[in-house]
Amino acid sequence: MKLYWHSLSLIPWRVRIALHEKGIAYDEESVDVYSSIERSPEFLALNPFGQIPVLEDDGLVVAESIAILEYLEERHPEPALMPTDIALRATVRQYMCWSTDYWPPAWKKWMAPHLPGLQSTPESVAEGRGELCMHLDVLDARLEGREWLVEDFSLADVCYAPLVTLLDRVGLADDLADRKHVARWATQLNERPSVKETLLV
Amino acid sequence: MKLYWHSLSLIPWRVRIALHEKGIAYDEESVDVYSSIERSPEFLALNPFGQIPVLEDDGLVVAESIAILEYLEERHPEPALMPTDIALRATVRQYMCWSTDYWPPAWKKWMAPHLPGLQSTPESVAEGRGELCMHLDVLDARLEGREWLVEDFSLADVCYAPLVTLLDRVGLADDLADRKHVARWATQLNERPSVKETLLV
């Protein structure tokens, strides 16, 4: 099994956390998605859209983190990162999608002054922070009275782990502290071996 | 079961197609996502991100089309819209994600002159068309020698049906005809009762 990723990219990190949770051995190959928008013909043959992560396993090539996480869960079901109840599984998937759809655009606006190739204005940076805080409010309401987002630790938590565990290192420590349920959850996430083992920055 | 949607919005349409494929009775409620960015407090209580589709079923409220389609497949497994083989399921999900992640931004650029509230330039419109054509090239290569995207008709085809069956009505008939495998597939999709029954424009 081989994972194509990049250390500065948040979304592939969730796949590494799932691999560590399940104790799956894997190889890694870094794809330089930051220094150039160009991709090698070899990588475009794996994913014509040029994005990471991509997973290769036993002849299968699959892109998109959600598809990869679902694949790992089906191929290596233990330890389970999905509940068995159908309604709870739907809720896990809703949070997987929310973390994928709404966090990265807001994150890019907030981080643009520190990332190569992105433009920003003070207004766009503030807008990004506002969107991240609104997202944190949604999570905070959900996490009140819950240890994890949906019953036991699941792919929903895996998807958010790379996002919320970095907040205090990117100038958003106060915004995190203001949401005490998210702050407690971020601490729990930071303490998981799978998160510690895959932390790079 | 109740689906929140809007007739001008492409993504909820895929959920309606799946409901018709499976013969599931449902109620609908239109959410006016075009005339205002404001949402009612009642709808924001269902989805704090304010987006459609949202499905209500037996106490469950779930947003995000991919989460909803997976839920319908698990709750109403017959007729199956997912293969049983784990690797094929991963490929179905990859196409579900691609249709969700990469088509809508390109579509919005191309359609901006005809949709309320969107800005455009000749360059942005041309860029949108270019991205749609690149996406069609990916699909055309995949569909050569295949009746459907992954083995039998699946959620991968369901996700693309609202996208490709409209091409000849939005000024892209030539781009569709230039990709003969996609054109043949679009004809097959147009002939499915679930697509005909849910067609609104």
Side-chain angles (χ1 to χ4, degrees), chain A residues 20-197:
Chain A
H20 282 249
E21 287 282 339
K22 291 177 175 291
I24 302 168
Y26 63 102
D27 298 318
E28 297 178 321
E29 182 169 327
S30 182
V31 180
D32 190 354
V33 292
Y34 284 98
S35 69
S36 168
I37 59 163
E38 298 286 324
R39 297 284 179 280
S40 69
E42 292 76 19
F43 187 69
L44 288 176
L46 299 176
N47 181 359
F49 293 100
Q51 298 297 304
I52 50 173
V54 170
L55 188 79
E56 281 185 324
D57 185 35
D58 198 22
L60 172 71
V61 177
V62 58
E64 297 289 314
S65 69
I66 286 176
I68 293 170
L69 292 172
E70 296 265 9
Y71 171 75
L72 293 174
E73 187 66 17
E74 295 191 345
R75 186 66 86 196
H76 302 272
E78 300 296 335
L81 294 175
M82 281 285 264
T84 53
D85 177 81
I86 291 174
L88 293 178
R89 293 165 68 85
T91 305
V92 167
R93 288 177 171 128
Q94 173 190 269
Y95 283 99
M96 293 171 72
C97 290
W98 280 355
S99 66
T100 310
D101 292 353
Y102 304 127
W103 190 279
W107 176 266
K108 275 185 191 160
K109 287 183 204 170
W110 171 249
M111 295 293 287
H114 314 286
L115 292 175
L118 294 179
Q119 295 187 317
S120 67
T121 63
E123 292 72 25
S124 68
V125 172
E127 188 175 85
R129 180 182 177 182
E131 290 171 11
L132 292 174
C133 285
M134 175 272 177
H135 204 132
L136 291 175
D137 286 338
V138 171
L139 297 173
D140 204 54
R142 174 70 188 182
L143 287 161
E144 183 175 359
R146 286 188 174 88
E147 185 177 8
W148 304 107
L149 280 172
V150 187
E151 212 173 51
D152 298 328
F153 180 82
S154 75
L155 291 177
D157 305 289
V158 167
C159 284
Y160 276 106
L163 314 180
V164 299
T165 58
L166 284 181
L167 288 177
D168 57 2
R169 278 169 268 173
V170 296
L172 297 173
D174 290 347
D175 293 318
L176 177 62
D178 285 346
R179 281 102 183 153
K180 65 181 181 183
H181 307 297
V182 177
R184 180 259 308 158
W185 175 59
T187 300
Q188 290 166 209
L189 290 168
N190 266 317
E191 288 168 354
R192 283 191 86 87
S194 64
V195 174
K196 284 186 185 168
E197 290 159 8

Side-chain angles (χ1 to χ4, degrees), chain B residues 4-60:
Chain B
Y4 294 82
W5 70 307
H6 187 279
S7 60
L8 284 181
S9 190
L10 288 183
I11 298 296
W13 186 4
R14 55 175 62 171
V15 177
R16 298 173 71 239
I17 292 172
L19 288 163
H20 283 249
E21 286 282 340
K22 291 178 176 291
I24 302 168
Y26 62 103
D27 298 317
E28 298 178 322
E29 182 168 327
S30 182
V31 180
D32 190 355
V33 291
Y34 283 99
S35 69
S36 168
I37 59 163
E38 297 286 324
R39 296 284 180 279
S40 69
E42 292 76 20
F43 187 70
L44 289 175
L46 299 176
N47 181 358
F49 294 99
Q51 298 296 304
I52 49 174
V54 170
L55 188 78
E56 280 186 323
D57 186 34
D58 198 22
L60 171 71

Side-chain angles (χ1 to χ4, degrees), chain B:
Chain B
M1 191 177 291
K2 182 174 177 179
L3 177 68
Y4 294 82
W5 70 307
H6 187 279
S7 60
L8 284 181
S9 190
L10 288 183
I11 298 296
W13 186 4
R14 55 175 62 171
V15 177
R16 298 173 71 239
I17 292 172
L19 288 163
H20 283 249
E21 286 282 340
K22 291 178 176 291
I24 302 168
Y26 62 103
D27 298 317
E28 298 178 322
E29 182 168 327
S30 182
V31 180
D32 190 355
V33 291
Y34 283 99
S35 69
S36 168
I37 59 163
E38 297 286 324
R39 296 284 180 279
S40 69
E42 292 76 20
F43 187 70
L44 289 175
L46 299 176
N47 181 358
F49 294 99
Q51 298 296 304
I52 49 174
V54 170
L55 188 78
E56 280 186 323
D57 186 34
D58 198 22
L60 171 71
V61 177
V62 57
E64 297 289 313
S65 69
I66 287 176
I68 293 170
L69 292 173
E70 295 265 9
Y71 171 74
L72 293 175
E73 187 65 17
E74 294 192 345
R75 185 67 85 196
H76 301 273
E78 299 296 336
L81 294 175
M82 281 286 265
T84 54
D85 177 81
I86 291 175
L88 292 178
R89 293 164 68 84
T91 304
V92 167
R93 289 177 170 128
Q94 173 189 271
Y95 284 99
M96 292 171 72
C97 290
W98 280 354
S99 65
T100 311
D101 292 353
Y102 304 126
W103 190 278
W107 177 264
K108 275 185 190 160
K109 287 184 205 170
W110 171 249
M111 294 293 287
H114 313 286
L115 292 175
L118 293 178
Q119 294 187 316
S120 67
T121 64
E123 291 73 24
S124 68
V125 172
E127 188 176 85
R129 180 182 177 181
E131 291 171 11
L132 292 174
C133 285
M134 175 271 177
H135 204 133
L136 291 175
D137 286 338
V138 171
L139 297 173
D140 204 54
R142 174 70 187 182
L143 287 162
E144 183 175 358
R146 285 188 175 89
E147 186 177 9
W148 304 108
L149 280 172
V150 187
E151 212 174 51
D152 298 327
F153 181 82
S154 75
L155 291 178
D157 306 289
V158 168
C159 284
Y160 276 105
L163 314 181
V164 298
T165 58
L166 284 180
L167 288 175
D168 58 1
R169 278 169 269 173
V170 296
L172 298 173
D174 290 348
D175 293 318
L176 177 62
D178 285 347
R179 281 106 184 148
K180 64 180 179 182
H181 307 298
V182 177
R184 180 259 308 158
W185 174 60
T187 301
Q188 290 167 209
L189 290 169
N190 266 317
E191 288 168 355
R192 283 192 86 87
S194 64
V195 175
K196 284 185 184 169
E197 292 160 8
T198 55
L199 190 64
L200 287 167
V201 285

